[in-house]
Amino acid sequence: DGGITQSPKYLFRKEGQNVTLSCEQNLNHDAMYWYRQDPGQGLRLIYYSQIVNDFQKGDIAEGYSVSREKKESFPLTVTSAQKNPTAFYLCASSTSDRRRGFSSTDTQYFGPGTRLTVL
Amino acid sequence: SQELEQSPQSLIVQEGKNLTINCTSSKTLYGLYWYKQKYGEGLIFLMMLQKGGEEKSHEKITAKLDEKKQQSSLHITASQPSHAGIYLCGADSNTGNQFYFGTGTSLTVIP
């Protein structure tokens, strides 16, 4: 079955360490996204990528880095520069039909999420 | 960037009561999505609205998009504890290059 996987489900990190969250999709989607969620709040966009080898900063990119070397994979690294990294991280993907100009009929598919806790 | 404001921010209702959550956009909506999330879990897609005046229902949840396509409401009839969670509206940008989420509404249903 097609879908998005994120691993691990729970992750613990010591302060000052970098950590990488995995996101893989086999939906053949061009676009992939990383969001962060804090308790009781809406999602905030960290980074997004519309195509392989290209990615853009979202609203809260500071302290994070990404790569998009393959269409199926969009790993997120939480660096030691991120001041408050404890949160729930969601990865998403969607089709991106540039010919239409917008993807109003497409929806984003989300992974199960990774809960990161900094000790 | 597009801003999606949700109201109320949080809601506590008694089981069996009806409730409404609103999502207001600063710009015209080209695709409006409603999601539900329980904290620590992935989002559950509820429904999507595109046309002005459109209304969709799924079980006891109804969503509407106003004629001007700048506001959507989500209405739950006879709420149940299973409806509890965070409700998020989301929208495509007019260029399709980004997707925006609302500020979220936290719903608690008291048995």
Side-chain angles (χ1 to χ4, degrees), chain A residues 35-50:
Chain A
Y35 297 93
R36 168 187 171 135
Q37 185 191 24
D38 294 282
Q41 298 184 26
L43 298 181
R44 291 181 290 169
L45 182 65
I46 305 173
Y47 267 99
Y48 67 100
S49 167
Q50 294 292 314

Side-chain angles (χ1 to χ4, degrees), chain B:
Chain B
S1 64
Q2 185 152 15
E3 292 181 357
L4 293 174
E5 188 72 29
Q6 282 184 240
S7 62
Q9 189 175 13
S10 65
L11 198 53
I12 302 173
V13 300
Q14 199 75 38
E15 183 177 357
K17 295 293 186 184
N18 302 339
L19 62 104
T20 299
I21 299 169
N22 293 305
C23 175
T24 303
S25 171
S26 57
K27 299 179 181 179
T28 299
L29 294 163
Y30 289 91
L32 188 285
Y33 304 75
W34 280 102
Y35 295 92
K36 177 189 171 184
Q37 183 189 18
K38 293 188 177 181
Y39 182 67
E41 300 181 13
L43 294 184
I44 300 168
F45 171 70
L46 296 175
M47 54 195 87
M48 182 220 174
L49 305 166
Q50 263 188 287
K51 300 176 183 176
E54 186 175 7
E55 179 176 323
K56 287 187 179 177
S57 293
H58 175 68
E59 296 179 347
K60 294 185 178 179
I61 301 176
T62 301
K64 299 179 186 179
L65 182 61
D66 74 343
E67 289 291 342
K68 293 184 179 179
K69 293 172 64 175
Q70 283 195 266
Q71 185 170 31
S72 178
S73 60
L74 185 82
H75 184 77
I76 298 177
T77 304
S79 58
Q80 299 168 1
S82 61
H83 287 128
I86 296 176
Y87 288 81
L88 288 161
C89 63
D92 291 307
S93 66
N94 58 348
T95 60
N97 290 330
Q98 280 198 290
F99 190 82
Y100 301 95
F101 280 100
T103 46
T105 296
S106 176
L107 172 64
T108 303
V109 179
I110 301 172

Side-chain angles (χ1 to χ4, degrees), chain A residues 1-4 26-27:
Chain A
D1 287 350
I4 301 180
N26 60 4
L27 300 166

